[in-house]
């Protein structure tokens, strides 16, 4: 438990230092806001330290970001984040991603409201 406390303090300091870097995009600050959840597995039996399903879902986006060199603007980051959210939502609801995007674009070009991503009741 003492090693975990030392590691926890070290990670906190590194994340805090990372918040001062212009290239992190606020990632360190976001993680610091949720730091208690980061260490939940240490004090609760049966909780795994990694969510392999979440890691698997994000892998494709990480590869996309690496191959495309990511975005160079705040607007580009927002667009990518929104697109990732739509893709994940469609996949979770077993909707066809491309069809959903086409429908949203058609609505935008026709000055109609975008189709809802809320699950059908």
């Amino acid at each position: 438990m003492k090693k975990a406390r030392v590691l926890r303090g070290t990670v906190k300091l590194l994340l805090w230092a990372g918040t001062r870097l212009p290239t992190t995009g606020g990632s360190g600050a976001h993680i610091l806001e949720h730091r208690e959840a980061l260490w939940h597995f240490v004090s609760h039996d049966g909780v795994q330290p990694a969510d392999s399903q979440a890691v698997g879902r994000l892998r494709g986006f990480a590869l996309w970001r690496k191959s495309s060199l990511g975005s160079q603007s705040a607007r580009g980051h927002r667009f990518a984040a929104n697109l990732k959210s739509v893709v994940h939502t469609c996949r979770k609801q077993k909707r066809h991603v491309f069809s959903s995007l086409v429908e949203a674009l058609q609505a935008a070009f026709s000055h109609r409201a975008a189709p809802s991503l809320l699950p059908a009741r």
Side-chain angles (χ1 to χ4, degrees):
M1 212 51 153
K2 182 180 179 192
K3 286 183 182 181
R5 232 184 344 267
V6 171
L7 180 61
R8 191 175 178 161
T10 303
V11 169
K12 182 179 176 182
L13 286 172
L14 290 171
L15 287 169
W16 183 84
T19 63
R20 306 299 186 255
L21 299 172
T23 57
T24 60
S27 309
H30 182 71
I31 294 170
L32 281 171
E33 287 175 23
H34 304 284
R35 66 182 172 270
E36 293 307 314
L38 185 64
W39 301 101
H40 189 78
F41 72 95
V42 173
S43 55
H44 294 81
D45 291 334
V47 176
Q48 296 297 316
D51 182 351
S52 56
Q53 285 182 335
V55 170
R57 288 189 298 264
L58 293 173
R59 180 167 170 68
F61 289 118
L63 293 173
W64 166 76
R65 188 183 69 235
K66 186 176 181 180
S67 67
S68 69
L69 301 177
S71 176
Q72 305 303 312
S73 68
R75 185 176 179 205
H77 285 301
R78 281 192 307 275
F79 173 79
N82 290 336
L83 185 60
K84 291 173 196 176
S85 179
V86 168
V87 169
H88 278 302
T89 301
C90 287
R91 286 180 179 164
K92 274 187 107 168
Q93 296 177 10
K94 301 195 182 339
R95 293 185 185 194
H96 191 264
V97 175
F98 186 73
S99 297
S100 298
L101 291 173
V102 167
E103 190 179 341
L105 288 170
Q106 287 173 336
F109 289 129
S110 302
H111 303 286
R112 291 182 284 123
S116 175
L117 287 176
L118 295 175
R121 289 186 177 195

